[in-house]
Coordinates of all heavy atoms in Angstrom, one line a residue:
M1 N -68.8 170.9 43.6 CA -69.8 171.9 44.0 C -69.8 171.9 45.6 O -69.7 170.9 46.2 CB -71.1 171.5 43.5 CG -72.2 172.3 44.0 SD -73.9 171.9 43.6 CE -73.8 170.8 42.3
C2 N -69.8 173.0 46.1 CA -69.8 173.1 47.6 C -71.3 173.3 48.1 O -72.2 173.6 47.3 CB -68.9 174.2 48.1 SG -69.5 175.9 47.7
I3 N -71.5 173.0 49.3 CA -72.8 173.1 49.9 C -73.4 174.5 49.7 O -74.5 174.7 49.4 CB -72.8 172.7 51.4 CG1 -72.6 171.2 51.4 CG2 -74.1 173.0 52.0 CD1 -72.4 170.6 52.8
R4 N -72.5 175.5 49.9 CA -73.0 176.9 49.8 C -73.5 177.2 48.4 O -74.6 177.8 48.2 CB -71.8 177.9 50.1 CG -72.1 179.3 49.9 CD -70.9 180.2 50.3 NE -69.7 179.8 49.6 CZ -69.4 180.1 48.3 NH1 -70.2 180.8 47.6 NH2 -68.3 179.7 47.7
D5 N -72.8 176.7 47.3 CA -73.3 176.9 46.0 C -74.6 176.2 45.7 O -75.5 176.7 45.1 CB -72.3 176.4 45.0 CG -71.0 177.3 45.0 OD1 -71.1 178.4 45.4 OD2 -70.0 176.8 44.5
S6 N -74.8 175.0 46.3 CA -76.0 174.3 46.1 C -77.1 175.0 46.8 O -78.3 175.0 46.3 CB -75.9 172.9 46.7 OG -74.9 172.2 46.1
H7 N -76.8 175.5 47.9 CA -77.9 176.2 48.7 C -78.4 177.5 48.0 O -79.6 177.8 48.1 CB -77.3 176.5 50.1 CG -78.2 176.2 51.2 ND1 -79.5 175.7 51.1 CD2 -78.1 176.4 52.5 CE1 -80.0 175.5 52.2 NE2 -79.2 176.0 53.2
T8 N -77.5 178.2 47.4 CA -77.9 179.4 46.7 C -78.9 179.2 45.6 O -79.6 180.1 45.2 CB -76.7 180.3 46.3 OG1 -76.0 179.5 45.4 CG2 -75.9 180.7 47.5
R9 N -78.9 178.0 45.0 CA -79.8 177.7 43.9 C -81.2 177.6 44.4 O -82.2 177.7 43.7 CB -79.4 176.4 43.2 CG -78.1 176.5 42.5 CD -77.8 175.3 41.7 NE -78.1 174.1 42.5 CZ -77.9 172.9 42.0 NH1 -77.4 172.7 40.8 NH2 -78.2 171.8 42.7
G10 N -81.4 177.3 45.7 CA -82.7 177.2 46.4 C -83.5 176.0 45.9 O -84.7 176.0 46.1
Q11 N -82.9 175.0 45.4 CA -83.6 173.8 45.0 C -83.8 172.7 46.0 O -84.7 171.9 46.0 CB -83.0 173.2 43.7 CG -83.0 174.1 42.6 CD -82.3 173.6 41.3 OE1 -81.4 172.8 41.5 NE2 -82.7 174.0 40.2
D12 N -82.8 172.6 46.9 CA -82.8 171.5 47.9 C -82.6 172.0 49.3 O -82.0 173.0 49.5 CB -81.7 170.5 47.6 CG -81.9 169.8 46.2 OD1 -83.0 169.4 45.9 OD2 -80.8 169.7 45.5
D13 N -83.2 171.3 50.2 CA -83.0 171.7 51.6 C -81.6 171.2 52.1 O -81.0 170.4 51.4 CB -84.1 171.1 52.5 CG -84.2 169.6 52.5 OD1 -83.1 169.0 52.6 OD2 -85.3 169.1 52.5
K14 N -81.2 171.7 53.2 CA -79.8 171.4 53.7 C -79.6 169.9 53.9 O -78.5 169.4 53.5 CB -79.6 172.1 55.1 CG -78.2 172.0 55.6 CD -78.0 172.9 56.8 CE -76.6 172.8 57.3 NZ -76.3 173.6 58.4
Q15 N -80.5 169.1 54.4 CA -80.3 167.7 54.6 C -80.2 167.0 53.2 O -79.3 166.1 53.1 CB -81.5 167.1 55.3 CG -81.5 167.3 56.8 CD -80.1 166.8 57.4 OE1 -79.3 167.6 57.9 NE2 -79.9 165.5 57.4
T16 N -80.9 167.4 52.2 CA -80.8 166.8 50.9 C -79.4 167.1 50.3 O -78.8 166.2 49.7 CB -81.9 167.3 50.0 OG1 -83.2 167.0 50.5 CG2 -81.8 166.7 48.6
I17 N -79.0 168.3 50.5 CA -77.6 168.7 50.0 C -76.5 167.9 50.7 O -75.6 167.3 50.0 CB -77.4 170.2 50.2 CG1 -78.4 171.0 49.3 CG2 -76.0 170.6 49.8 CD1 -78.4 172.4 49.6
I18 N -76.6 167.7 52.0 CA -75.6 167.0 52.8 C -75.6 165.5 52.3 O -74.6 165.0 52.1 CB -75.9 167.1 54.3 CG1 -75.6 168.5 54.7 CG2 -75.1 166.1 55.0 CD1 -76.1 168.8 56.2
K19 N -76.8 164.9 52.1 CA -76.9 163.5 51.6 C -76.3 163.4 50.2 O -75.5 162.5 49.9 CB -78.3 163.0 51.6 CG -78.4 161.6 51.1 CD -79.7 161.0 51.3 CE -79.8 159.5 50.8 NZ -78.7 158.9 50.2
R20 N -76.6 164.3 49.3 CA -76.1 164.3 48.0 C -74.5 164.4 48.0 O -73.9 163.7 47.2 CB -76.7 165.4 47.1 CG -78.2 165.1 46.8 CD -78.8 166.3 46.2 NE -79.0 165.9 44.8 CZ -79.3 166.8 43.8 NH1 -79.4 168.1 44.2 NH2 -79.4 166.5 42.6
M21 N -74.0 165.3 48.8 CA -72.6 165.5 48.8 C -71.9 164.3 49.4 O -70.8 163.8 48.9 CB -72.2 166.7 49.7 CG -72.7 168.0 49.0 SD -72.1 168.4 47.4 CE -70.4 168.7 47.7
S22 N -72.5 163.6 50.4 CA -72.0 162.4 51.0 C -72.0 161.3 50.0 O -71.0 160.5 49.8 CB -72.8 162.0 52.2 OG -72.4 160.8 52.7
D23 N -73.1 161.2 49.2 CA -73.2 160.1 48.2 C -72.1 160.4 47.1 O -71.5 159.4 46.6 CB -74.6 160.1 47.5 CG -75.6 159.6 48.5 OD1 -75.3 159.0 49.5 OD2 -76.8 159.8 48.2
A24 N -71.9 161.6 46.7 CA -71.0 161.9 45.7 C -69.6 161.6 46.1 O -68.8 161.0 45.4 CB -71.0 163.4 45.3
K25 N -69.2 161.9 47.4 CA -67.9 161.6 47.9 C -67.7 160.1 47.9 O -66.6 159.6 47.6 CB -67.8 162.2 49.3 CG -66.4 162.0 49.9 CD -66.2 162.7 51.2 CE -64.8 162.5 51.8 NZ -64.6 163.3 53.0
N26 N -68.7 159.3 48.3 CA -68.6 157.9 48.3 C -68.4 157.3 46.9 O -67.5 156.5 46.7 CB -69.9 157.3 49.0 CG -69.8 155.8 49.0 OD1 -68.8 155.2 49.3 ND2 -70.9 155.1 48.6
Q27 N -69.1 157.9 46.0 CA -69.0 157.4 44.6 C -67.6 157.7 44.1 O -66.9 156.9 43.4 CB -70.0 158.0 43.7 CG -71.4 157.5 44.0 CD -72.5 158.2 43.3 OE1 -72.2 159.2 42.5 NE2 -73.8 157.9 43.5
M28 N -67.1 158.9 44.4 CA -65.7 159.3 43.9 C -64.6 158.5 44.5 O -63.6 158.3 43.9 CB -65.5 160.8 44.2 CG -66.3 161.7 43.3 SD -65.8 163.5 43.5 CE -66.7 163.8 45.1
S29 N -64.9 158.0 45.7 CA -63.9 157.2 46.4 C -63.6 155.8 45.7 O -62.6 155.2 45.9 CB -64.2 156.9 47.9 OG -65.3 156.0 48.0
H30 N -64.4 155.5 44.7 CA -64.3 154.2 43.9 C -63.6 154.5 42.6 O -63.6 153.6 41.8 CB -65.6 153.6 43.7 CG -66.3 153.1 45.0 ND1 -65.9 151.9 45.6 CD2 -67.2 153.7 45.8 CE1 -66.6 151.7 46.7 NE2 -67.4 152.8 46.9
F31 N -63.0 155.7 42.4 CA -62.5 156.0 41.1 C -61.4 155.0 40.7 O -61.2 154.8 39.5 CB -61.9 157.4 41.1 CG -60.6 157.6 41.7 CD1 -59.4 157.5 41.0 CD2 -60.5 157.8 43.1 CE1 -58.2 157.7 41.6 CE2 -59.3 158.0 43.7 CZ -58.1 157.9 43.0
D32 N -60.7 154.5 41.6 CA -59.5 153.6 41.3 C -60.0 152.2 40.8 O -59.1 151.4 40.5 CB -58.6 153.5 42.5 CG -59.2 153.0 43.7 OD1 -60.5 152.9 43.8 OD2 -58.5 152.6 44.7
E33 N -61.2 152.0 40.7 CA -61.7 150.7 40.3 C -62.0 150.7 38.8 O -62.4 149.7 38.2 CB -63.1 150.3 41.0 CG -62.9 150.2 42.5 CD -64.2 150.1 43.3 OE1 -65.2 149.8 42.6 OE2 -64.2 150.3 44.5
F34 N -61.7 151.7 38.1 CA -62.0 151.9 36.7 C -60.7 152.0 35.8 O -59.6 152.3 36.4 CB -62.9 153.1 36.4 CG -64.2 152.9 37.1 CD1 -64.4 153.4 38.4 CD2 -65.3 152.2 36.5 CE1 -65.6 153.2 39.1 CE2 -66.5 152.0 37.1 CZ -66.7 152.5 38.4
D35 N -60.8 151.8 34.5 CA -59.7 151.9 33.6 C -59.3 153.4 33.3 O -58.2 153.7 33.0 CB -60.0 151.2 32.3 CG -60.1 149.7 32.5 OD1 -59.5 149.2 33.5 OD2 -60.9 149.1 31.8
Y36 N -60.3 154.3 33.3 CA -60.1 155.6 32.9 C -60.7 156.6 34.0 O -61.6 156.2 34.7 CB -60.8 156.0 31.6 CG -60.4 155.1 30.4 CD1 -61.2 154.0 30.0 CD2 -59.1 155.3 29.8 CE1 -60.8 153.2 29.0 CE2 -58.7 154.4 28.8 CZ -59.5 153.4 28.4 OH -59.1 152.6 27.4
L37 N -60.1 157.8 34.0 CA -60.6 158.8 34.9 C -60.8 160.1 34.1 O -59.8 160.6 33.5 CB -59.6 159.0 36.0 CG -59.9 160.1 37.0 CD1 -61.2 159.9 37.8 CD2 -58.8 160.3 38.0
V38 N -62.0 160.6 34.1 CA -62.3 161.9 33.4 C -62.8 162.9 34.5 O -63.8 162.6 35.1 CB -63.3 161.7 32.3 CG1 -63.6 163.1 31.6 CG2 -62.8 160.8 31.2
I39 N -62.1 164.0 34.6 CA -62.6 165.0 35.6 C -63.3 166.1 34.8 O -62.7 166.6 33.9 CB -61.3 165.6 36.3 CG1 -60.5 164.6 37.0 CG2 -61.8 166.7 37.3 CD1 -61.2 164.0 38.2
N40 N -64.5 166.4 35.2 CA -65.3 167.3 34.4 C -65.2 168.7 35.1 O -66.2 169.3 35.5 CB -66.8 166.9 34.4 CG -67.7 167.7 33.5 OD1 -67.2 168.6 32.8 ND2 -68.9 167.5 33.6
D41 N -64.0 169.2 35.1 CA -63.8 170.6 35.6 C -63.8 171.6 34.5 O -64.0 172.8 34.7 CB -62.6 170.7 36.4 CG -61.3 170.4 35.7 OD1 -61.4 169.7 34.6 OD2 -60.2 170.7 36.2
N42 N -63.7 171.1 33.3 CA -63.9 171.9 32.1 C -64.7 171.0 31.1 O -64.2 170.0 30.6 CB -62.5 172.2 31.5 CG -62.6 173.0 30.2 OD1 -63.2 172.6 29.2 ND2 -62.0 174.2 30.2
F43 N -65.9 171.5 30.8 CA -66.8 170.6 30.0 C -66.2 170.2 28.6 O -66.2 169.1 28.2 CB -68.1 171.3 29.8 CG -69.1 170.5 28.9 CD1 -69.8 169.4 29.5 CD2 -69.2 170.8 27.6 CE1 -70.6 168.7 28.7 CE2 -70.1 170.0 26.8 CZ -70.8 168.9 27.4
D44 N -65.6 171.2 27.9 CA -65.1 170.9 26.6 C -63.9 169.9 26.6 O -63.9 169.0 25.8 CB -64.6 172.2 25.9 CG -65.8 173.1 25.5 OD1 -66.9 172.6 25.3 OD2 -65.6 174.3 25.4
E45 N -63.1 170.0 27.6 CA -62.0 169.0 27.8 C -62.5 167.7 28.2 O -62.0 166.6 27.7 CB -61.0 169.5 28.8 CG -60.1 170.7 28.4 CD -59.2 171.2 29.4 OE1 -58.8 170.4 30.4 OE2 -58.8 172.3 29.4
A46 N -63.5 167.6 29.1 CA -64.1 166.3 29.5 C -64.7 165.7 28.3 O -64.6 164.5 28.1 CB -65.0 166.6 30.7
L47 N -65.5 166.4 27.6 CA -66.2 165.9 26.4 C -65.2 165.3 25.4 O -65.3 164.2 24.9 CB -67.0 166.9 25.7 CG -67.8 166.5 24.5 CD1 -68.7 165.3 24.8 CD2 -68.6 167.7 23.9
S48 N -64.1 166.0 25.1 CA -63.1 165.6 24.2 C -62.4 164.3 24.7 O -62.1 163.4 24.0 CB -62.0 166.7 24.1 OG -61.0 166.3 23.2
S49 N -62.2 164.2 26.0 CA -61.6 163.0 26.6 C -62.5 161.8 26.4 O -62.1 160.7 26.1 CB -61.3 163.2 28.1 OG -60.4 164.2 28.3
L50 N -63.8 162.0 26.7 CA -64.8 160.9 26.6 C -64.8 160.5 25.1 O -64.9 159.3 24.8 CB -66.2 161.4 27.1 CG -66.3 161.5 28.5 CD1 -67.7 162.1 28.9 CD2 -66.2 160.2 29.2
E51 N -64.9 161.4 24.2 CA -64.9 161.1 22.8 C -63.7 160.3 22.4 O -63.8 159.3 21.6 CB -65.0 162.4 21.9 CG -66.4 163.0 22.0 CD -66.5 164.4 21.3 OE1 -65.4 165.0 21.0 OE2 -67.6 164.8 21.1
S52 N -62.5 160.6 22.9 CA -61.3 159.9 22.6 C -61.3 158.5 23.2 O -60.9 157.6 22.5 CB -60.1 160.6 23.2 OG -59.9 161.9 22.5
I53 N -61.8 158.4 24.4 CA -61.9 157.1 25.0 C -62.9 156.2 24.3 O -62.6 155.0 24.0 CB -62.3 157.2 26.5 CG1 -61.1 157.8 27.3 CG2 -62.6 155.8 27.1 CD1 -61.5 158.3 28.7
I54 N -64.0 156.7 24.0 CA -65.1 155.9 23.3 C -64.6 155.5 21.9 O -64.9 154.4 21.4 CB -66.4 156.7 23.3 CG1 -67.0 156.8 24.7 CG2 -67.4 156.0 22.3 CD1 -68.1 157.7 24.9
G55 N -64.0 156.4 21.2 CA -63.5 156.2 19.8 C -62.1 155.7 19.8 O -61.3 156.2 19.0
Q56 N -61.7 154.8 20.6 CA -60.4 154.3 20.7 C -59.7 153.8 19.4 O -58.5 153.8 19.3 CB -60.3 153.2 21.7 CG -60.4 153.6 23.1 CD -60.2 152.4 24.1 OE1 -59.3 151.6 23.9 NE2 -61.0 152.4 25.1
S57 N -60.6 153.5 18.4 CA -60.0 153.1 17.2 C -59.3 154.2 16.4 O -58.5 153.9 15.5 CB -61.1 152.5 16.3 OG -62.1 153.5 16.0
N58 N -59.5 155.4 16.9 CA -58.8 156.5 16.3 C -57.3 156.3 16.4 O -56.8 156.1 17.5 CB -59.2 157.8 17.0 CG -58.6 159.1 16.4 OD1 -57.5 159.0 15.8 ND2 -59.2 160.2 16.7
K59 N -56.5 156.5 15.3 CA -55.1 156.2 15.4 C -54.3 157.1 16.3 O -53.3 156.8 16.7 CB -54.5 156.3 14.0 CG -54.6 157.6 13.3 CD -54.0 157.7 11.9 CE -54.4 159.0 11.3 NZ -53.5 159.7 10.7
D60 N -54.9 158.3 16.6 CA -54.3 159.3 17.5 C -54.6 159.0 19.0 O -54.0 159.7 19.8 CB -54.7 160.7 17.1 CG -54.3 161.1 15.7 OD1 -53.3 160.6 15.3 OD2 -55.1 161.9 15.1
F61 N -55.4 158.0 19.3 CA -55.7 157.8 20.7 C -54.5 157.2 21.4 O -53.9 156.3 21.0 CB -56.9 156.8 20.7 CG -57.3 156.4 22.1 CD1 -58.0 157.3 22.9 CD2 -56.9 155.2 22.7 CE1 -58.3 156.9 24.2 CE2 -57.2 154.9 24.0 CZ -57.9 155.7 24.8
N62 N -54.2 157.9 22.5 CA -53.1 157.4 23.4 C -53.7 156.9 24.7 O -54.1 157.8 25.5 CB -52.1 158.5 23.6 CG -50.9 158.0 24.3 OD1 -50.9 156.9 24.9 ND2 -49.9 158.8 24.4
H63 N -53.8 155.7 24.9 CA -54.4 155.1 26.1 C -53.8 155.6 27.3 O -54.4 155.9 28.3 CB -54.2 153.5 26.0 CG -54.6 152.8 27.2 ND1 -53.9 152.8 28.4 CD2 -55.7 152.0 27.4 CE1 -54.6 152.1 29.3 NE2 -55.7 151.6 28.7
K64 N -52.5 155.9 27.3 CA -51.7 156.3 28.5 C -52.2 157.7 28.9 O -52.2 158.0 30.1 CB -50.2 156.3 28.2 CG -49.7 154.9 28.1 CD -48.2 154.9 27.9 CE -47.7 153.5 27.7 NZ -46.3 153.4 27.5
D65 N -52.6 158.6 28.0 CA -53.1 159.9 28.3 C -54.3 159.9 29.2 O -54.5 160.8 30.0 CB -53.4 160.7 27.1 CG -52.2 161.1 26.3 OD1 -51.1 161.0 26.8 OD2 -52.3 161.5 25.1
F66 N -55.1 158.9 29.1 CA -56.4 158.8 29.8 C -56.4 157.7 30.9 O -57.4 157.4 31.5 CB -57.5 158.6 28.9 CG -57.6 159.7 27.9 CD1 -57.2 159.5 26.6 CD2 -58.1 160.9 28.2 CE1 -57.3 160.5 25.6 CE2 -58.2 162.0 27.3 CZ -57.8 161.8 26.0
S67 N -55.3 157.0 31.1 CA -55.2 155.9 32.0 C -55.5 156.4 33.4 O -55.3 157.6 33.7 CB -53.9 155.2 31.9 OG -52.9 156.0 32.5
L68 N -55.9 155.5 34.3 CA -56.2 155.9 35.7 C -54.9 156.4 36.3 O -54.9 157.4 37.0 CB -56.7 154.6 36.4 CG -57.0 154.9 37.9 CD1 -58.1 155.9 38.1 CD2 -57.4 153.6 38.5
D69 N -53.8 155.8 36.0 CA -52.5 156.3 36.6 C -52.2 157.7 36.2 O -51.9 158.5 37.0 CB -51.3 155.3 36.3 CG -51.4 154.0 37.0 OD1 -52.1 153.9 38.0 OD2 -50.8 153.0 36.5
S70 N -52.3 157.9 34.9 CA -51.9 159.2 34.3 C -52.9 160.3 34.9 O -52.4 161.4 35.3 CB -52.0 159.2 32.8 OG -51.8 160.5 32.3
Q71 N -54.2 160.0 34.9 CA -55.1 161.0 35.3 C -55.1 161.2 36.8 O -55.3 162.3 37.3 CB -56.6 160.6 34.9 CG -56.8 160.7 33.4 CD -56.6 162.1 32.9 OE1 -57.3 163.0 33.3 NE2 -55.7 162.3 32.0
S72 N -54.7 160.2 37.6 CA -54.6 160.3 39.0 C -53.4 161.2 39.4 O -53.5 162.0 40.3 CB -54.4 158.9 39.7 OG -55.5 158.1 39.5
I73 N -52.4 161.1 38.6 CA -51.2 162.0 38.9 C -51.6 163.4 38.5 O -51.3 164.4 39.2 CB -50.0 161.5 38.1 CG1 -49.5 160.2 38.7 CG2 -48.9 162.6 38.1 CD1 -48.5 159.5 37.8
K74 N -52.2 163.6 37.3 CA -52.6 164.9 36.8 C -53.6 165.6 37.8 O -53.4 166.8 38.0 CB -53.3 164.8 35.4 CG -53.7 166.1 34.8 CD -54.3 165.8 33.5 CE -54.8 167.2 32.9 NZ -55.5 166.9 31.6
H75 N -54.5 164.9 38.4 CA -55.5 165.5 39.2 C -55.3 165.1 40.7 O -56.2 165.1 41.5 CB -56.9 165.0 38.8 CG -57.2 165.4 37.4 ND1 -57.5 166.8 37.1 CD2 -57.3 164.8 36.2 CE1 -57.8 166.9 35.8 NE2 -57.6 165.7 35.2
K76 N -54.1 164.8 41.1 CA -53.7 164.4 42.4 C -54.3 165.3 43.5 O -55.0 164.9 44.4 CB -52.2 164.3 42.6 CG -51.7 163.9 43.9 CD -50.2 163.8 44.0 CE -49.7 163.5 45.3 NZ -48.3 163.4 45.4
N77 N -54.1 166.6 43.4 CA -54.5 167.6 44.4 C -56.0 167.6 44.4 O -56.6 167.7 45.5 CB -53.9 169.0 44.1 CG -52.4 169.0 44.4 OD1 -51.9 168.2 45.1 ND2 -51.8 169.9 43.7
L78 N -56.7 167.6 43.3 CA -58.2 167.7 43.3 C -58.7 166.4 43.9 O -59.7 166.5 44.7 CB -58.7 167.8 41.8 CG -60.2 167.8 41.7 CD1 -60.8 169.0 42.4 CD2 -60.5 167.8 40.2
L79 N -58.2 165.3 43.6 CA -58.7 164.0 44.2 C -58.5 164.0 45.7 O -59.4 163.6 46.4 CB -58.0 162.8 43.6 CG -58.4 162.6 42.1 CD1 -57.4 161.6 41.5 CD2 -59.8 162.1 42.0
K80 N -57.4 164.5 46.2 CA -57.2 164.6 47.6 C -58.2 165.5 48.3 O -58.7 165.2 49.3 CB -55.8 165.2 47.9 CG -54.7 164.2 48.0 CD -53.4 165.0 48.5 CE -52.2 164.1 48.5 NZ -51.0 164.8 48.9
K81 N -58.5 166.6 47.6 CA -59.5 167.6 48.2 C -60.9 167.0 48.2 O -61.6 167.2 49.1 CB -59.4 168.8 47.3 CG -60.3 169.9 47.8 CD -60.1 171.1 46.8 CE -61.1 172.2 47.2 NZ -61.0 173.4 46.3
L82 N -61.2 166.2 47.2 CA -62.6 165.7 47.0 C -62.9 164.4 47.9 O -64.0 164.2 48.3 CB -62.9 165.4 45.6 CG -63.0 166.6 44.6 CD1 -63.1 166.1 43.2 CD2 -64.1 167.5 45.0
I83 N -61.8 163.7 48.1 CA -62.1 162.4 48.7 C -61.6 162.4 50.1 O -60.7 162.7 50.6 CB -61.4 161.2 47.9 CG1 -62.1 161.2 46.5 CG2 -61.6 159.9 48.6 CD1 -61.5 160.2 45.6

C-alpha cells in the first residue's frame, strides 16, 4: 500500500501513515528469519499457501514450494521494491 492510497481512505493523518509504513518496512526486513514466506498480493493464493503450510501432513505438500529460498526468488523484485 502506498501513502497516497492510505491517505485517500481518510482514516489516518500523514504522520500516522508515515509511521505505519516505516514500521511495515522494518517488519518486512526480517522476512529472512523465517522458514516460509507468503506474499499476500492475491488473497486466494495467499490463503491457499497458508493452508498448505499449516496442513503439512497433506501428502501433496511440497515444502520446497513455500520455502524461504523459493519464495525469495519468486518474489525477488517485489522484495527489493518493498525493503
Side-chain angles (χ1 to χ4, degrees):
M1 175 185 342
C2 71
I3 291 176
R4 179 180 48 83
D5 292 340
S6 300
H7 223 1
T8 58
R9 295 185 317 181
Q11 294 177 335
D12 297 318
D13 61 45
K14 187 175 181 175
Q15 279 306 111
T16 301
I17 294 168
I18 290 170
K19 179 169 180 2
R20 291 171 103 193
M21 295 303 288
S22 175
D23 290 348
K25 185 174 181 177
N26 180 44
Q27 291 171 3
M28 286 186 285
S29 71
H30 294 277
F31 78 93
D32 58 347
E33 298 171 15
F34 298 91
D35 295 329
Y36 303 103
L37 176 64
V38 176
I39 303 290
N40 187 10
D41 58 347
N42 177 301
F43 179 79
D44 291 332
E45 288 180 23
L47 179 60
S48 177
S49 296
L50 287 173
E51 289 173 342
S52 294
I53 291 167
I54 291 168
Q56 288 184 39
S57 61
N58 181 336
K59 63 181 170 130
D60 296 328
F61 178 76
N62 184 350
H63 176 286
K64 292 180 183 179
D65 288 345
F66 301 103
S67 71
L68 181 61
D69 289 339
S70 174
Q71 293 296 303
S72 294
I73 291 167
K74 179 179 178 181
H75 298 288
K76 179 180 177 180
N77 292 332
L78 177 60
L79 291 167
K80 273 186 182 179
K81 183 178 174 182
L82 294 174
I83 299 175

